[in-house]
Amino acid sequence: MAALQFCDAFWGSDFSDLSGYEALLQRLNDGRRMCKDVEELLRMRAVAEEKFGKELVAIARRSGGHTEISTLRASFEQLKAEIENTGTQHILLSGMIKEEVQKIAVFREHQREQRKKLEEIIEKVQKPIEALHKKTMESKRCYEQRCKEADESEHCVERKNSPAATTTHRQTERVLNRARLCRQAARLAEKQLMWNVEQLDKIRQDWESTYRSTCEVFQQQEVDRIKMLRCVLWDHCNQLSMQCVKDDECYEEARKVLEQCDTTTDNNCFIQMRRTSFSPPNSVQFQSYYITDTNGQVDGQDEHGLSCLQLETSAVHNLTVSVAPSHQVTVAQDHLSGAFVTQEHGETEDEKYKVLYAYEAQDSDELSITCGEIVMITEQGDDGWWTARKGDLIGLVPGTYLIKV
């Protein structure tokens, strides 16, 4: 398509007609308004992205899931981490959009300053040519009026000189004198008009050159503005598309971990961590309190046997009570005094556990572990955090990340 030019389409009907120039200024003002509208759109989008990103980060950090174990726990933790990553990416996107807003503001201000200078130049050349044009039009009207008066006076002379006219010599002289004066006035008006037209033509050349160059600059401003806004909007669409790709990549990482989520593994992990016994309790056996002797007498003791109380207490001579994972207390009866005594044994050996999932220490009292290595558990806390030993290092690790060897 052939490119039209501002300098060939926005001239006035005369030098005082500024309709074309005003149309150009209106177009530039509309373009400036468009720049502000794009700035506002991007600014609101940046605020929305920042708010959305911060909400995602807050959601990821406030979410629980600490009571879950094994693969499902790992999947949930991965999803929270990716949600937080997504929120961070949206906050970064907000920053990039704000940079684009700043670029538009700088561009708009630069064009405003450039246009202001051109308007001052046009105003400077427009006032003299308008004044001279007005003066020329007045001199033209005066010249036309003087020519009409000269023609009328000549007609009067012709009528006075006709044979049918009855005029005195004095009247004739007066008519001739008036005709001569009118003709002189017409000549003076003609000279004044010619001089004004000549001066107007000289100024017109400078004015036309200035106006044409101003139109060209205005058109270049419009070209630059349209290209700039088009590039900004294009880049904004690309940024949003890239953000969608990054979001999908984050959630793809979560899906990869979810693929490893297995019900059998989770149930086995729970059984190994919280098991109590491999068999149900035995049935209760009936035992008579009274023992019948060979003579048919019922007594609490026979001649060769122990009393029922002694039989019952003999069963607790070597009773062991478990009071802690690392201590044992033995309850026994003193044969001489019949009193019960307790004997506390030392700590049990540390238990070996295999790391199912890697964990990076977040605090100074925690211990970093990697998948597959063996650690020694010295204490199992009720809150799910266990004390582990790895070489000379001791710290807290999540119990759900371990499995007993």
Side-chain angles (χ1 to χ4, degrees):
M1 179 183 294
L4 302 179
Q5 301 298 320
F6 285 5
C7 59
D8 297 331
F10 293 99
W11 296 98
S13 58
D14 54 45
F15 296 106
S16 61
D17 184 8
L18 299 178
S19 58
Y21 179 69
E22 291 174 351
L24 289 176
L25 292 182
Q26 183 62 41
R27 173 59 180 171
L28 295 178
N29 288 330
D30 293 342
R32 187 165 179 265
R33 178 70 260 176
M34 179 60 182
C35 289
K36 290 184 177 180
D37 292 341
V38 175
E39 288 180 44
E40 186 63 21
L41 181 144
L42 296 181
R43 186 179 293 109
M44 291 188 295
R45 182 58 188 259
V47 172
E49 289 291 339
E50 183 177 8
K51 182 179 179 181
F52 178 64
K54 290 181 177 179
E55 289 181 352
L56 286 180
V57 173
I59 289 172
R61 294 179 178 177
R62 287 198 301 262
S63 300
H66 301 296
T67 59
E68 190 52 61
I69 62 174
S70 194
T71 59
L72 183 57
R73 168 72 177 272
S75 300
F76 187 70
E77 293 294 335
Q78 183 68 28
L79 178 59
K80 291 198 299 181
E82 297 303 335
I83 291 176
E84 184 172 353
N85 291 339
T86 301
T88 303
Q89 292 294 333
H90 280 276
I91 295 175
L92 294 177
L93 174 62
S94 173
M96 290 189 291
I97 296 175
K98 290 179 180 178
E99 291 178 0
E100 294 295 328
V101 172
Q102 187 63 26
K103 290 179 182 178
I104 297 176
V106 172
F107 175 83
R108 176 170 52 82
E109 186 64 21
H110 173 71
Q111 282 205 334
R112 188 185 70 83
E113 293 294 333
Q114 188 180 22
R115 187 185 66 182
K116 184 178 179 181
K117 294 179 181 179
L118 292 174
E119 289 178 0
E120 292 176 353
I121 294 174
I122 289 295
E123 183 179 0
K124 185 177 180 181
V125 300
Q126 185 67 29
K127 288 183 178 181
I129 199 170
E130 283 186 2
L132 187 56
H133 177 263
K134 181 179 180 181
K135 185 177 180 180
T136 303
M137 292 298 101
E138 290 176 354
S139 63
K140 181 180 180 181
R141 286 191 294 271
C142 180
Y143 168 70
E144 292 175 350
Q145 181 65 28
R146 295 293 181 269
C147 289
K148 289 180 181 179
E149 292 175 355
D151 291 343
E152 289 178 357
S153 62
E154 289 179 356
H155 288 317
C156 290
V157 171
E158 291 177 356
R159 286 196 298 271
K160 293 295 182 179
N161 293 330
S162 63
T166 57
T167 57
T168 63
H169 178 73
R170 179 175 294 180
Q171 289 177 337
T172 302
E173 287 292 331
R174 188 181 301 119
V175 171
L176 291 173
N177 188 40
R178 183 174 180 275
R180 184 175 62 255
L181 292 176
C182 288
R183 181 55 58 187
Q184 290 177 353
R187 292 194 191 98
L188 291 175
E190 182 180 3
K191 290 180 179 180
Q192 183 65 36
L193 176 60
M194 293 176 62
W195 186 87
N196 289 336
V197 169
E198 183 179 354
Q199 295 299 317
L200 181 62
D201 186 65
K202 292 180 180 180
I203 298 178
R204 181 194 63 78
Q205 294 177 1
D206 295 337
W207 172 86
E208 182 179 342
S209 176
T210 303
Y211 187 80
R212 185 179 295 275
S213 62
T214 301
C215 290
E216 292 174 353
V217 174
F218 284 169
Q219 184 166 2
Q220 187 60 44
Q221 278 194 336
E222 278 298 284
V223 171
D224 295 340
R225 181 186 68 85
I226 294 172
K227 287 183 178 180
M228 187 274 299
L229 291 181
R230 182 185 63 182
C231 292
V232 167
L233 296 177
W234 191 289
D235 292 342
H236 182 63
C237 293
N238 289 340
Q239 289 172 349
L240 298 182
S241 298
M242 288 300 299
Q243 186 59 46
C244 292
V245 174
K246 292 178 181 178
D247 290 350
D248 186 68
E249 289 176 352
C250 290
Y251 298 131
E252 179 62 24
E253 293 298 324
R255 285 190 288 267
K256 290 179 181 178
V257 179
L258 282 169
E259 289 177 352
Q260 301 176 6
C261 182
D262 181 65
T263 56
T264 303
T265 303
D266 285 13
N267 288 335
N268 290 346
C269 180
F270 170 70
I271 292 172
Q272 292 175 357
M273 290 175 54
R274 304 297 182 184
R275 63 189 177 190
T276 56
S277 177
F278 290 105
S279 61
N282 296 327
S283 61
V284 178
Q285 301 294 329
F286 173 76
Q287 182 179 1
S288 176
Y289 180 77
Y290 300 99
I291 300 176
T292 305
D293 59 9
T294 56
N295 298 325
Q297 297 179 352
V298 178
D299 198 330
Q301 178 181 355
D302 59 9
E303 59 182 0
H304 300 291
L306 300 173
S307 65
C308 294
L309 180 59
Q310 290 174 329
L311 290 174
E312 293 175 356
T313 57
S314 64
V316 296
H317 282 177
N318 297 313
L319 178 62
T320 300
V321 180
S322 178
V323 296
S326 61
H327 291 76
Q328 286 185 348
V329 176
T330 302
V331 180
Q333 183 182 28
D334 192 326
H335 293 284
L336 296 177
S337 62
F340 290 94
V341 294
T342 62
Q343 298 176 351
E344 183 174 355
H345 300 275
E347 294 185 358
T348 61
E349 295 182 355
D350 297 340
E351 296 180 333
K352 291 184 178 181
Y353 278 80
K354 183 179 181 181
V355 179
L356 292 176
Y357 307 101
Y359 175 76
E360 185 70 22
Q362 304 295 326
D363 294 318
S364 59
D365 60 343
E366 297 179 359
L367 179 64
S368 298
I369 54 178
T370 56
C371 181
E373 68 179 351
I374 303 297
V375 296
M376 306 300 293
I377 299 300
T378 60
E379 184 180 353
Q380 299 183 6
D382 294 335
D383 58 353
W385 290 92
W386 296 0
T387 302
R389 178 168 55 83
K390 183 176 66 171
D392 296 334
L393 302 177
I394 298 178
L396 296 175
V397 298
T400 55
Y401 283 37
L402 308 176
I403 184 172
K404 190 173 182 181
V405 179

